Amino acid sequence: MGFFRDHSMPIRKKFVAGNWKMNTTLAEAKALGAAVAKGVGTDSKVTVAVCPPYPWLSAVGDTIKGSSVVLGAQNVHFEKKGAFTGEVSPAMLLEAGCTYAIIGHSERRHILGERESVINHKVHTALEEGLHVILCMGETLSERERNLQERVFQRQVFAACAGLTDEQFHRIVIAYEPVWAIGTGKVATPEQAQDAHKFVRSKLKQLYGDKIAEATPIIYGGSVTPENTAGLMSQPDVDGALVGGASLKADSFLAIVKAAGVV
Ligand code: PGA
């Protein structure tokens, strides 16, 4: 089927990002960045991003220079500057070498109480300031058990993406991350991921039309490993992975990148 693709539709490049969360020492972060850069080189089949903790951004940025690996932050503030003790602005992230910022990760939604209005505000400010955004969404276990996931996706897509221009939307990657799969070793089946991604894309079509919806990468996150990557990536609407635990070892992260590039 791939051979007979409709050429009026853009072909989505696979995207794999490593979310290191609150892990690594400075020495470990530098070694990991260097090993990922060495493994990826200048290969551009897959877009690869690493998202270290804030204090290590510049140092890791140095280790990936000359490779095609790009830098991302795990969070960003919703205002451009000012009296926000402890927060980091989009402009600071850009100056530290970031291309991407993760927004709306479930750990921020559920542990830190980030509301949908805040997520929408962050998306707007980050895009206005020139960042690309990895926008996370996904249902909890209890929502899945009550079969509410599609209602949740619809609410999350509409709330997070409200008011964006078409041009801004070109800088968004959506990450579907079922909360019950994050850090649990319980990965979604390829069919569950495909159903979710297809539904989210249908909502993007409703909001932004076919062209933007077809061009937007929708990546999967939640217990991704080298073993389960190929199955997930074989689905037509799964365009890559947001990797937590398995991104902390260069070997497993590079194996995921490789598996994503083969499909
Ligand atoms: P995990 O985390 O791969 O450790 O499940 C994914 C994420 O939270 O982005």
Side-chain angles (χ1 to χ4, degrees):
M1 244 181 83
F3 288 100
F4 302 105
R5 210 168 174 127
D6 175 358
H7 288 291
S8 62
M9 289 299 177
I11 294 176
R12 297 183 296 270
K13 192 172 167 182
K14 288 280 190 290
F15 182 94
V16 175
N19 174 9
W20 298 358
K21 306 194 180 183
M22 200 171 71
N23 293 300
T24 67
T25 63
L26 176 57
E28 286 165 353
K30 289 204 291 197
L32 185 52
V36 170
K38 185 161 178 254
V40 172
T42 52
D43 183 6
S44 64
K45 245 204 302 195
V46 177
T47 303
V48 179
V50 289
C51 306
Y54 281 150
W56 309 158
L57 281 170
S58 294
V60 172
D62 287 342
T63 69
I64 59 175
K65 278 201 183 110
S67 77
S68 63
V69 179
V70 293
L71 196 64
Q74 299 171 20
N75 183 30
V76 64
H77 192 56
F78 53 79
E79 291 293 350
K80 293 183 180 171
K81 64 179 198 171
F84 299 101
T85 302
E87 294 296 330
V88 175
S89 72
M92 291 170 188
L93 295 181
L94 285 162
E95 208 172 330
C98 289
T99 306
Y100 287 88
I102 297 174
I103 295 180
H105 190 277
S106 83
E107 283 145 23
R108 300 207 60 86
R109 290 178 191 254
H110 298 291
I111 303 173
L112 294 151
E114 226 169 70
R115 284 174 293 119
E116 274 166 356
S117 55
V118 167
I119 292 166
N120 178 250
H121 194 170
K122 287 186 176 195
V123 169
H124 273 273
T125 311
L127 292 171
E128 270 165 35
E129 292 287 89
L131 285 165
H132 293 236
V133 167
I134 302 171
L135 172 63
C136 302
M137 54 186 65
E139 80 288 4
T140 62
L141 181 58
S142 96
E143 287 162 343
R144 163 79 50 181
E145 282 169 350
R146 286 176 290 148
N147 204 27
L148 292 176
Q149 60 274 16
E150 292 193 345
R151 224 188 283 177
V152 172
F153 304 154
Q154 169 151 336
R155 196 195 64 227
Q156 291 177 334
V157 169
F158 281 36
C161 301
L164 299 177
T165 64
D166 289 7
E167 184 284 319
Q168 285 177 321
F169 215 88
H170 287 301
R171 283 181 284 126
I172 288 205
V173 174
I174 291 190
Y176 165 58
E177 298 207 299
V179 180
W180 48 269
I182 296 176
T184 58
K186 247 169 92 184
V187 65
T189 64
E191 293 71 26
Q192 284 173 324
Q194 170 58 21
D195 287 349
H197 289 218
K198 196 172 164 203
F199 182 84
V200 169
R201 203 178 302 285
S202 76
K203 294 295 129 190
L204 297 182
K205 282 187 185 164
Q206 220 172 306
L207 280 174
Y208 289 98
D210 283 11
K211 211 162 161 206
I212 287 188
E214 289 295 336
T216 303
I218 305 180
I219 64 176
Y220 168 82
S223 298
V224 174
T225 62
E227 292 72 32
N228 59 34
T229 301
L232 289 161
M233 299 303 135
S234 67
Q235 300 298 314
D237 285 290
V238 180
D239 304 315
L242 181 54
V243 188
S247 72
L248 292 171
K249 294 251 181 313
D251 286 356
S252 55
F253 186 62
L254 290 168
I256 290 167
V257 171
K258 193 166 170 217
V262 168
V263 184

